[in-house]
Amino acid sequence: MSTLELRGRVATMVSSATDGEVTTEEILTGGGSLAALGVGSLAVLRLIDALDDELGVQLDLDAPGTHLDDFDDLVRTVQERAVRDD
């Protein structure tokens, strides 16, 4: 999956985790902090479950190198873990 496709897929997953309160477009154009966009802690937990279920990427909030607040860092982390897990 290309980086552009992954960005779109993760943005859709983030939006779903917020029950649509934050749109995919807002995530893709807003950049930066997910918290600033209104993605709360419950949505982050839902996102972690969705990433595992849909992409097979396991993220541990306490693990070093796990970046979930910044969207671009999140996509990079997912991409790195997906490649590593293949």
Side-chain angles (χ1 to χ4, degrees), residues 17-70:
T18 67
D19 292 326
E21 290 183 27
V22 181
T23 67
T24 300
E25 184 177 321
E26 289 174 312
I27 296 161
L28 291 171
T29 59
S33 172
L34 293 175
L37 290 172
V39 178
S41 57
L42 178 58
V44 170
L45 294 175
R46 294 166 87 187
L47 175 62
I48 289 171
D49 285 341
L51 289 167
D52 187 15
D53 291 345
E54 294 182 34
L55 301 177
V57 174
Q58 296 182 353
L59 298 178
D60 180 356
L61 291 174
D62 297 325
T66 301
H67 304 285
L68 298 177
D69 185 54
D70 180 87

